[in-house]
Amino acid sequence: MKKTNASILVIDDQEDILFASKMLLKKHFENIYTLNNPKNLVELLSQNNIDAVLLDMNYRIGFEDGREGLYLLKEIKTLSPKTVVILMTAFGKVETAVEGLKAGAFDYILKPWENEKLLSVVKQAVDKSRKEQKKSNNIESADVFFVGNSDVIKKAYSLADKVAKTDANVLILGENGTGKYVLSHHIYRQSERKNNPFVHVDLGSLNSNIFESELFGYAKGAFTDAKVDTPGRFEMAQNGTIFLDEIGNVPLHLQSKLLQVIQTKMVTRLGESKARPLNIRIITATNMNLKQEVTDKNFREDLYYRINTMEIVLPPLRERIEDKIPLAHYLLQKMITKYGRDEIIFYEKALEQIANHAWNGNIREMENRIERAVILCENNHITVSDLDLEQITTYEENQDDIQLSAVEKTAIEKILFKNNNNISKTAEELGLSRGSLYRRLEKYNIN
């Protein structure tokens, strides 16, 4: 019987379970890894391309609620998004298993398992992993190689290509939706660290109460829910690249802690005194004017200069006039691939609207509108109605900043009204994060 060329990881604290699963799985799959201690998970995932993980949900006697398994599920999905996770539990707690499915697990198995059932689920998981990898590779390759023809974007990517070969800290500036994540990943893919982890952290979404534990990690017992020794995001990026997105949103009282780690390249987990050395590349990004934030005493000057060895500014879409239509065609092909659709084209009127639209949410807004259009369009032609752009005011290219602000305020008010003041729906439709939308509501005094 020919084995499937796939890598499977089994994590369980019982040696007999590890032995039995390895004996069964090695007959069908090329590489079987086992772990009896989740502490080594980060290192193993960073060094190997794992297709599927069989993850036990409980590791300590007296703690059979599955919380540890759910936490490790989150860590696996963060470290290796294309790895498919199958949960295992001996206690038949279906509610916890369902919670795991909602959190991104592929399926669950009750112990003791039936061999045929286990093999069937693992094979399905490997198939799903391969499909996800193929889809991701197609999309990522397109992201890497699409730049545009405008001078402003070519200048930004030229600078990125030069700095990618170094280990210099990079600060990416630009409005929401301009492609800061894509550029950061492009730098990573062009660097010497491209075969090591790339860890993305959205600092804007981190509550200050969990800021240190998420970034720096913690020791078992450091606080009430600290059940196991856990590395933070910095350690997860060891030998690779960490991308700290929305760094301008970090509260002032936490900036000093971030500065110390970035400056010393050492991190100390909560509840420990031992500093751990870091070998990482640091890329940061924000949509804020950090120089102004420094002047206003909202951002530390020493942190600003530490992260800003090289600054790259990504232009908004309104400054990339000649890129709008090529970008629309590129995003259309991306969505056709994503949804497995036949060839779809734009009607001429739809292209005219794309060219004249304000695109306050930049590339993210355009991607959102085109994805919606691909889902809704009939006869493989995208119409003006499919794009649903009429609620956003168009603009003349020579408008000054005051006029553009008026356009943005009007757009926000209209979409807020349309969505009955639902912040989440409005932010998504505008291509903004909730935090960015809140800042605009305050800026324009919109209640």
Side-chain angles (χ1 to χ4, degrees):
M1 179 178 58
K2 186 178 180 180
K3 295 182 180 181
T4 300
N5 184 18
S7 297
I8 314 298
L9 169 62
V10 186
I11 309 175
D12 200 295
D13 59 344
Q14 299 180 51
E15 291 295 338
D16 57 335
I17 294 293
L18 296 178
F19 179 79
S21 59
K22 186 171 185 176
M23 289 300 101
L24 173 64
L25 295 171
K26 74 177 186 178
K27 298 176 183 177
H28 302 271
F29 303 97
E30 287 288 346
N31 303 303
I32 310 299
Y33 301 91
T34 60
L35 277 181
N36 63 2
N37 189 338
K39 287 183 182 180
N40 302 320
L41 177 62
V42 173
E43 182 180 4
L44 194 147
L45 282 179
S46 66
Q47 295 177 355
N48 300 277
N49 183 23
I50 303 297
D51 295 285
V53 173
L54 281 163
L55 175 65
D56 185 33
M57 299 192 70
N58 302 291
Y59 290 87
R60 292 182 298 156
I61 296 174
F63 293 87
E64 286 86 27
D65 59 1
R67 294 295 108 189
E68 290 171 297
L70 291 174
Y71 178 83
L72 290 171
L73 167 64
K74 176 185 174 184
E75 292 303 298
I76 293 168
K77 300 307 289 183
T78 298
L79 286 165
S80 183
K82 293 180 283 294
T83 296
V84 177
V85 181
I86 302 163
L87 302 175
M88 298 190 297
T89 179
F91 301 94
K93 292 187 176 295
V94 177
E95 296 87 353
T96 308
V98 169
E99 188 175 345
L101 296 179
K102 291 179 180 178
F106 174 67
D107 206 339
Y108 68 93
I109 291 285
L110 299 180
K111 296 187 292 187
W113 61 71
E114 296 178 7
N115 287 350
E116 291 302 316
K117 170 67 174 175
L118 179 64
L119 284 173
S120 174
V121 172
V122 173
K123 287 177 180 177
Q124 292 175 47
V126 169
D127 287 342
K128 178 177 173 58
S129 176
R130 294 296 167 79
K131 290 177 182 177
E132 289 297 318
Q133 289 180 44
K134 184 176 180 181
K135 181 190 298 182
S136 177
N137 288 339
N138 288 340
I139 293 173
E140 284 180 8
S141 295
D143 283 338
V144 168
F145 294 112
F146 181 86
V147 176
N149 295 312
S150 60
D151 290 339
V152 284
I153 196 64
K154 287 196 290 187
K155 179 181 177 181
Y157 269 83
S158 174
L159 190 56
D161 288 340
K162 290 176 182 177
V163 76
K165 304 303 180 184
T166 74
D167 260 350
N169 292 342
V170 179
L171 171 63
I172 304 174
L173 300 175
E175 296 178 7
N176 278 338
T178 50
K180 296 189 290 293
Y181 173 86
V182 172
L183 182 62
S184 71
H185 201 261
H186 175 80
I187 293 171
Y188 158 72
R189 291 283 294 271
Q190 303 304 311
S191 75
E192 299 298 323
R193 297 175 181 268
K194 63 184 177 182
N195 295 320
N196 294 312
F198 177 82
V199 176
H200 174 212
V201 186
D202 182 1
L203 296 175
S205 68
L206 278 187
N207 186 294
S208 59
N209 294 329
I210 63 170
F211 182 89
E212 292 181 74
S213 61
E214 282 288 316
L215 287 181
F216 311 143
Y218 51 86
K220 177 182 175 181
F223 47 87
T224 303
D225 293 326
K227 304 290 180 65
V228 294
D229 292 337
T230 303
R233 301 300 176 87
F234 276 99
E235 283 184 77
M236 291 178 187
Q238 190 69 284
N239 300 318
T241 300
I242 188 167
F243 174 46
L244 302 175
D245 203 0
E246 302 288 359
I247 195 168
N249 288 353
V250 177
L252 196 59
H253 71 281
L254 293 173
Q255 291 175 21
S256 60
K257 298 178 184 295
L258 191 57
L259 172 65
Q260 183 178 11
V261 174
I262 294 175
Q263 186 169 278
T264 63
K265 292 287 181 74
M266 304 281 286
V267 65
T268 303
R269 295 180 183 179
L270 290 178
E272 288 187 350
S273 57
K274 169 187 172 184
R276 301 168 185 264
L278 296 171
N279 175 18
I280 57 175
R281 168 70 168 289
I282 297 170
I283 303 176
T284 56
T286 181
N287 64 344
M288 294 184 177
N289 183 338
L290 282 192
K291 286 183 180 179
Q292 187 61 49
E293 292 296 305
V294 169
T295 301
D296 295 342
K297 307 297 183 184
N298 294 324
F299 199 85
R300 291 180 62 116
E301 186 174 18
D302 46 3
L303 177 57
Y304 171 70
Y305 287 114
R306 179 62 62 177
I307 63 177
N308 191 16
T309 305
M310 183 64 69
E311 179 179 293
I312 302 176
V313 179
L314 280 176
L317 207 46
R318 62 179 172 271
E319 294 178 10
R320 301 174 56 186
I321 310 305
E322 60 267 53
D323 290 337
K324 286 185 179 181
I325 298 303
L327 177 61
H329 285 302
Y330 157 74
L331 292 173
L332 176 59
Q333 290 304 313
K334 180 178 175 180
M335 291 306 155
I336 289 171
T337 300
K338 178 177 180 179
Y339 290 102
R341 292 287 300 270
D342 294 330
E343 192 64 24
I344 297 173
I345 63 173
F346 293 106
Y347 274 121
E348 193 62 34
K349 287 290 185 182
L351 285 175
E352 288 177 13
Q353 192 173 50
I354 287 170
N356 293 324
H357 186 60
W359 298 116
N360 295 308
N362 296 296
I363 299 171
R364 186 181 300 149
E365 182 193 355
M366 184 183 285
E367 183 172 29
N368 175 281
R369 295 293 89 191
I370 290 177
E371 181 170 14
R372 177 185 186 278
V374 167
I375 293 170
L376 294 179
C377 77
E378 298 179 356
N379 302 319
N380 292 335
H381 282 73
I382 291 177
T383 66
V384 169
S385 175
D386 294 328
L387 289 169
D388 192 28
L389 297 176
E390 54 269 15
Q391 74 272 22
I392 307 283
T393 307
T394 58
Y395 71 104
E396 296 296 328
E397 294 300 334
N398 61 353
Q399 285 180 316
D400 60 24
D401 290 341
I402 295 176
Q403 289 173 303
L404 288 173
S405 294
V407 169
E408 185 172 51
K409 180 181 179 182
T410 300
I412 292 171
E413 288 175 332
K414 285 183 177 180
I415 297 175
L416 263 176
F417 179 79
K418 172 188 171 185
N419 290 320
N420 296 317
N421 290 323
N422 185 303
I423 295 296
S424 295
K425 288 183 179 180
T426 302
E428 181 179 0
E429 195 160 328
L430 286 167
L432 301 172
S433 67
R434 285 170 57 91
S436 298
L437 178 56
Y438 277 123
R439 286 194 293 275
R440 282 164 170 77
L441 294 178
E442 183 177 0
K443 174 183 176 180
Y444 298 127
N445 195 27
I446 300 174
N447 298 318

